[in-house]
Amino acid sequence: MTEALFTPFSLGDIAVKNRIVMAPLTRNRARAEDDTPYALHAEYYAQRAGAGLIVSEGTQISPEGKGYAWTPGIYSDAQVAGWKTVTEAVHAKGGKIVAQLWHVGRVSHTSLQEGGAAPVAPSAIGAASKTFDGTSFVQTSVPRALELDEIPRIVEDYRRAARNAAAAGFDGVEIHAANGYLIDQFLRDTSNARTDAYGGSVENRVRFLREVVEAVMGVLGAGRVGVRLSPFSNANNVGIDSDTLATFGAAIDVLNAAGVAFLHMVEGQTGGPREWPAGALEALRDRFKGAYIANNGYTRASAVAAVASGKVDLVAFGKLYISNPDLAERLAADAPLNPLPTEGLYGGGAKGYTDYPALSRTAA
Ligand code: 8OZ
């Protein structure tokens, strides 16, 4: 029998050939002069088009949204042209790909910001986290708090990014609201100390998420928009909200009201232990009405079981997709996997990026 993991599905208006998702992976290989993806990226993503859905690496919606050296953007015409070569290559191989829209907020450094400016965040609270400035890992800079009248400008940056994603031929977008970046910084009371309409109560802290979702949906339609959350993760030292279930329950209610196509959940600590207070993940998962993509430490067996349970619609694999370009095909064949990579993760060129072997037809 065919396990449900290998059967087609529709996330809103995005029809996929299987339930295997390539998770977003920051690889820091954009062209240094203009943060643009190019032919190398097209080859990399096309190699991975056996996934039902690819979520692109985080792509900054504006220069201000950048937090690391050599991450790609989606705000300039050159970037749109670069991404177009990527989406065409993926589509030519029968894959689907959404753009992950990213603003890092405070997880940045003055050396990465235009004019050496301070990064922006809901509040002027620094994160005990590091970023990569192109030479070394450096402590992130203390941000400045956004003025109330600047927030609409950032929402507009998301709207422009959504238009650009459509122009570049993406099948949709994933709004990155996880891992301690800007939207997550607004959600949590550890990083948001605002006293205006965007801080304080849970309703106020989910306001920015709602406005971003509505702006992006207005461009693409809700059926092509998803959101990534990581309620139990302390990624980038964002801090654990004082009432995770209330805050993220309200965030999920925003997604339900908007009718977004999918929720992509980092289950537990990002890239770490699958830990959460008993029942809390399940409560949030079951609260969401659209397609649920589970992520974090899944194996073939646990992914098969999760989708078979009917509680999970798709499973996203990150690390395994680095060294197994044909991961979906290997899982379907129950074939051996290449070992996890130990170098070449961030920065560089083809080495450790597009040079991982696929199974030969005969071996399969
Ligand atoms: C690893 C290195 C840099 C960025 C995330 C976008 O955690 C990232 C990221 C991961 O969501």
Side-chain angles (χ1 to χ4, degrees):
M1 72 158 237
T2 305
E3 281 117 344
L5 180 65
F6 306 110
T7 61
F9 189 73
S10 286
L11 308 87
D13 297 331
I14 308 170
V16 297
K17 63 192 170 195
N18 60 51
R19 319 293 190 93
I20 295 164
V21 177
M22 177 185 167
L25 293 165
T26 288
R27 304 299 306 276
N28 309 70
R29 281 164 166 87
R31 207 160 56 200
E33 33 323 347
D34 56 2
D35 295 343
T36 296
Y38 59 101
L40 180 65
H41 299 75
E43 183 185 0
Y44 164 78
Y45 283 108
Q47 288 174 343
R48 288 158 178 78
L53 182 67
I54 296 171
V55 182
S56 82
E57 64 206 279
T59 65
Q60 58 263 9
I61 60 163
S62 60
E64 177 195 83
K66 179 178 177 176
Y68 306 82
W70 314 313
T71 54
I74 189 154
Y75 53 84
S76 76
D77 291 345
Q79 290 159 355
V80 172
W83 282 119
K84 196 154 195 295
T85 67
V86 171
T87 64
E88 285 172 355
V90 168
H91 291 154
K93 289 273 184 74
K96 297 278 168 82
I97 181 168
V98 296
Q100 195 195 48
L101 304 187
W102 190 26
H103 190 306
V104 296
R106 69 184 185 177
V107 185
S108 187
H109 189 264
T110 53
S111 65
L112 294 161
Q113 294 288 313
E114 287 183 335
V120 299
S123 300
I125 304 171
S129 65
K130 297 215 162 181
T131 183
F132 182 71
D133 68 3
T135 308
S136 61
F137 287 90
V138 291
Q139 167 63 42
T140 53
S141 305
V142 176
R144 73 172 175 85
L146 285 161
E147 301 291 340
L148 183 61
D149 66 6
E150 286 181 281
I151 293 177
R153 192 254 310 153
I154 300 186
V155 174
E156 286 312 307
D157 289 342
Y158 277 98
R159 197 190 317 273
R160 175 185 59 202
R163 284 198 203 101
N164 286 346
F170 282 102
D171 297 288
V173 301
E174 173 175 288
I175 296 168
H176 193 347
N179 296 346
Y181 297 111
L182 182 65
I183 297 174
D184 207 12
Q185 290 159 32
F186 270 94
L187 291 175
R188 301 187 193 216
D189 57 11
T190 51
S191 45
N192 181 345
R194 299 182 73 91
T195 54
D196 60 14
Y198 292 86
S201 66
V202 168
E203 295 88 312
N204 282 353
R205 282 183 278 123
V206 302
R207 188 180 310 280
F208 182 63
L209 170 68
R210 175 186 297 117
E211 291 179 353
V212 170
V213 165
E214 287 174 354
V216 169
M217 268 172 56
V219 174
L220 296 163
R224 294 192 178 276
V225 176
V227 174
R228 195 172 204 222
L229 295 175
S230 59
F232 310 104
S233 179
N234 190 33
N236 290 302
N237 266 301
V238 64
I240 299 298
D241 189 83
S242 66
D243 192 344
T244 296
L245 271 186
T247 296
F248 286 89
I252 288 169
D253 290 346
V254 165
L255 309 187
N256 284 335
V260 307
F262 65 89
L263 169 60
H264 183 179
M265 185 76 97
V266 180
E267 298 180 335
Q269 293 291 344
T270 311
R274 293 178 50 79
E275 289 171 1
W276 49 83
L281 171 76
E282 295 77 6
L284 292 175
R285 177 191 69 196
D286 296 346
R287 188 162 175 153
F288 181 63
K289 298 202 176 91
Y292 180 85
I293 307 178
N295 171 239
N296 209 20
Y298 278 84
T299 62
R300 182 185 193 278
S302 64
V304 164
V307 176
S309 78
K311 298 283 189 188
V312 164
D313 297 306
L314 306 97
V315 177
F317 297 89
K319 276 179 250 183
L320 288 175
Y321 251 117
I322 296 175
S323 53
N324 294 281
D326 55 345
L327 181 67
E329 297 88 334
R330 286 176 191 248
L331 294 179
D334 205 3
L337 303 182
N338 291 323
L340 291 177
T342 52
E343 50 187 33
L345 295 179
Y346 306 118
K351 192 171 177 314
Y353 191 54
T354 50
D355 59 355
Y356 287 104
L359 273 182
S360 72
R361 283 180 98 78
T362 47

